[in-house]
Amino acid sequence: KNQVEQSPQSLIILEGKNCTLQCNYTVSPFSNLRWYKQDTGRGPVSLTIMTFSENTKSNGRYTATLDADTKQSSLHITASQLSDSASYICVVRANSGGYQKVTFGIGTKLQVIP
Amino acid sequence: NAGVTQTPKFRVLKTGQSMTLLCAQDMNHEYMYWYRQDPGMGLRLIHYSVGEGTTAKGEVPDGYNVSRLKKQNFLLGLESAAPSQTSVYFCASSYGGGLAGEGVRRNEQFFGPGTRLTVL
């Protein structure tokens, strides 16, 4: 069964500090992996996407990495801001006979405090 | 562009009542999706549509029906609401559906703001 596991479940950091969120998946065969940011009371918004051949992708202060061999991804946030407080969801697509299936992680809830 | 909009934002129902959630997108996307998000669980696909006039079952379709009469609209219906359907419902749309060989940017899903539904 395709699964996406994220850690930690929740995290509190001080404004200005860095943090790293983890995503482990068992989705196979792998197609691509996205990180989404979901603000409280809002829908998820895509931050980055990586395919099998990519091992790092940046979007401003967000940097995602992918190790397709170990089936692990991380999202690193640099110099955190209060507006980074949100849930971060790892989403993995699998190829499935011509249609790609999507599996969502539960998310990591990040709180940035002053 | 408004992107993906959902109506209503909040709703409280009694067990057995019916209602329809409306999703609209102005990006001319072919694919549309309905998800539910529950505490401690990832988003789960209820139904989806690959184009106007088409619908298909997702992971958790029981108790829900959908219709896609117009390309820009995707309706989710609850015929007889149950407490187990208390959830936050998200609509999403994408240009592509994630078919093999398709560019990854085409299958990015854009989400609406969600509808919080409580069934008493």
Side-chain angles (χ1 to χ4, degrees), chain B residues 22-87:
Chain B
L22 172 63
C23 175
Q25 52 95 5
D26 61 1
M27 296 174 282
N28 200 34
H29 285 169
E30 290 294 333
Y31 293 77
M32 296 188 74
Y33 315 82
W34 275 107
Y35 292 93
R36 60 179 289 172
Q37 187 175 43
D38 300 295
M41 303 185 76
L43 284 156
R44 293 183 293 169
L45 183 65
I46 304 171
H47 285 281
Y48 64 97
S49 168
V50 302
E52 181 178 320
T54 74
T55 63
K57 294 181 180 180
E59 180 185 356
V60 288
D62 293 343
Y64 306 95
N65 57 74
V66 289
S67 64
R68 182 106 181 264
L69 298 179
K70 294 183 179 180
K71 185 177 183 178
Q72 63 268 33
N73 295 338
F74 195 29
L75 278 64
L76 177 70
L78 286 73
E79 291 185 348
S80 180
S84 61
Q85 294 178 304
T86 293
S87 186

Side-chain angles (χ1 to χ4, degrees), chain A residues 2 12 30 44-45 48 67 76-77 88-89 99-100 114:
Chain A
N2 290 336
I12 301 174
F30 175 83
V45 176
T48 64
D67 186 334
H76 186 73
I77 304 175
Y88 292 84
I89 302 172
Y99 179 77
Q100 296 181 354

Side-chain angles (χ1 to χ4, degrees), chain A residues 31-32 34 36 38 41-46 49 51 57 89 93 95 98-100 102 104-106, chain B residues 31 33 35 37 40-43 48 90 97-101 104-105 107-109 111-114:
Chain A
S31 174
N32 60 74
R34 284 185 192 272
Y36 280 86
Q38 184 176 19
R42 308 288 293 272
V45 176
S46 180
I49 179 169
T51 61
K57 185 72 69 75
I89 302 172
R93 277 187 180 269
N95 283 315
Y99 179 77
Q100 296 181 354
V102 178
F104 289 79
I106 295 174
Chain B
Y31 293 77
Y33 315 82
Y35 292 93
Q37 187 175 43
M41 303 185 76
L43 284 156
Y48 64 97
F90 287 98
L99 297 175
V104 295
R105 300 212 177 276
N107 58 50
E108 177 180 352
Q109 293 186 19
F111 287 83

Side-chain angles (χ1 to χ4, degrees), chain A residues 42-88:
Chain A
R42 308 288 293 272
V45 176
S46 180
L47 290 174
T48 64
I49 179 169
M50 287 179 292
T51 61
F52 185 88
S53 59
E54 299 173 300
N55 55 24
T56 187
K57 185 72 69 75
S58 291
N59 179 0
R61 294 179 297 101
Y62 300 101
T63 299
T65 63
L66 173 66
D67 186 334
D69 291 332
T70 62
K71 298 186 176 181
Q72 295 179 326
S73 177
S74 65
L75 180 69
H76 186 73
I77 304 175
T78 303
S80 61
Q81 300 177 358
L82 297 179
S83 59
D84 292 330
S85 295
S87 286
Y88 292 84

